[in-house]
C-alpha cells in the first residue's frame, strides 16, 4: 500500500507539472496568435519598401552602359551645338542679323575658361539697331539657332519712330582648348 501511495503522489506531481506546461504552452500560443495578427500589416509594409528599393537599384552593367551612352550624347551635343572658333560664332551672329534685317553696330567678346573639359565660354556684348518687330525676330532666331546661344541681358537704348537700339549680352560656348 505504501508503494501505491508513493506512486500516486508521484503521479499527482507529474500531472501538476504537465498541467503547468500545458497552461504555459496555451499562453504562448495565445500570445503568438495575437502578435502575428498584427504582423501581416507590418510585413506587407516592409515588403513594399523592399520592392520599391529593388526598383531603384540599377545593376552596374546597366549603369556603365548608360554612362557610355551619355558620354556619346554629350560629344554629339558639343559637336553639333558648339562651334570650334570665335569666327564661327560671329559668322552665325552676322548671318542671323542679316536674315532679320537688324544692324549690328558693335560687338565685343570675352572668352573664359569653364569647369567643363574642352569648352570655353564666350560672352558677347552687342549693340544693334532695327525695327522693333525685326529685333524681336532676331532674338527669337538667335535662341532657336542650332548653335547654343543664351540671351543674358537685353537693355533698351534709343527709340525713334519704330526703330530701337538694343544692347544684348549673349553667352555661348566654343569647343577646344585655350
Amino acid at each position: 500500500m505504501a508503494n501505491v501511495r508513493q506512486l500516486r503522489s508521484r503521479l499527482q506531481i507529474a500531472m501538476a507539472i504537465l498541467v503547468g506546461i500545458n497552461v504555459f504552452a496555451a499562453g504562448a500560443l495565445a500570445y503568438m496568435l495575437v502578435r502575428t495578427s498584427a504582423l501581416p500589416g507590418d510585413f506587407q509594409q516592409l515588403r513594399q519598401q523592399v520592392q520599391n528599393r529593388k526598383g531603384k537599384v540599377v545593376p552596374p552593367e546597366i549603369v556603365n552602359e548608360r554612362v557610355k551612352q551619355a558620354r556619346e550624347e554629350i560629344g554629339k551635343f558639343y559637336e553639333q551645338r558648339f562651334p570650334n572658333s570665335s569666327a564661327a560664332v560671329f559668322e552665325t551672329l552676322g548671318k542671323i542679323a542679316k536674315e532679320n534685317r537688324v544692324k549690328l553696330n558693335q560687338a565685343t567678346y570675352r572668352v573664359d575658361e569653364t569647369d567643363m573639359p574642352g569648352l570655353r565660354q564666350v560672352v558677347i556684348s552687342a549693340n544693334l539697331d532695327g525695327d522693333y518687330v525685326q529685333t524681336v525676330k532676331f532674338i527669337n532666331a538667335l535662341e532657336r539657332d542650332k548653335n547654343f546661344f543664351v540671351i543674358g541681358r537685353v537693355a533698351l537704348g534709343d527709340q525713334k519712330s519704330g526703330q530701337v537700339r538694343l544692347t544684348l549680352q549673349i553667352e555661348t560656348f566654343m569647343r577646344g582648348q585655350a
Side-chain angles (χ1 to χ4, degrees), residues 13-170:
I13 292 172
M15 209 46 140
I17 291 172
L18 288 175
V19 167
I21 290 174
N22 279 340
V23 168
F24 178 75
L29 180 63
Y31 174 76
M32 294 301 281
L33 288 175
V34 169
R35 178 79 175 131
T36 56
S37 68
L39 279 181
D42 294 340
F43 176 75
Q44 290 300 328
Q45 183 181 9
L46 288 173
R47 185 170 188 269
Q48 186 63 38
Q49 287 177 0
V50 167
Q51 294 300 324
N52 288 344
R53 290 199 177 137
K54 276 185 182 178
K56 292 178 183 177
V57 174
V58 179
E61 308 84 45
I62 294 176
V63 170
N64 290 336
E65 183 180 312
R66 287 182 182 172
V67 167
K68 181 181 174 186
Q69 181 183 5
R71 285 187 177 139
E72 290 172 0
E73 288 175 1
I74 289 170
K76 287 178 186 175
F77 182 81
Y78 283 11
E79 187 80 25
Q80 294 171 352
R81 303 292 304 261
F82 301 140
N84 56 4
S85 70
S86 58
V89 171
F90 282 104
E91 180 182 328
T92 303
L93 200 59
K95 182 183 85 170
I96 294 172
K98 185 177 179 180
E99 288 172 356
N100 290 285
R101 297 188 303 262
V102 296
K103 181 180 175 188
L104 277 173
N105 293 326
Q106 179 185 6
T108 59
Y109 72 99
R110 181 182 81 238
V111 179
D112 297 326
E113 293 298 319
T114 64
D115 295 337
M116 297 172 283
L119 283 184
R120 294 176 290 155
Q121 182 180 25
V122 180
V123 179
I124 303 166
S125 293
N127 294 327
L128 58 102
D129 290 329
D131 182 66
Y132 176 78
V133 173
Q134 298 306 328
T135 56
V136 170
K137 288 181 179 180
F138 169 78
I139 291 172
N140 190 15
L142 198 61
E143 289 180 334
R144 292 177 183 265
D145 191 66
K146 75 173 186 80
N147 288 333
F148 188 77
F149 289 106
V150 177
I151 308 294
R153 186 182 72 226
V154 177
L156 180 63
D158 295 338
Q159 45 184 334
K160 298 175 189 167
S161 66
Q163 296 291 314
V164 294
R165 174 170 285 167
L166 294 179
T167 301
L168 299 176
Q169 181 177 345
I170 305 164

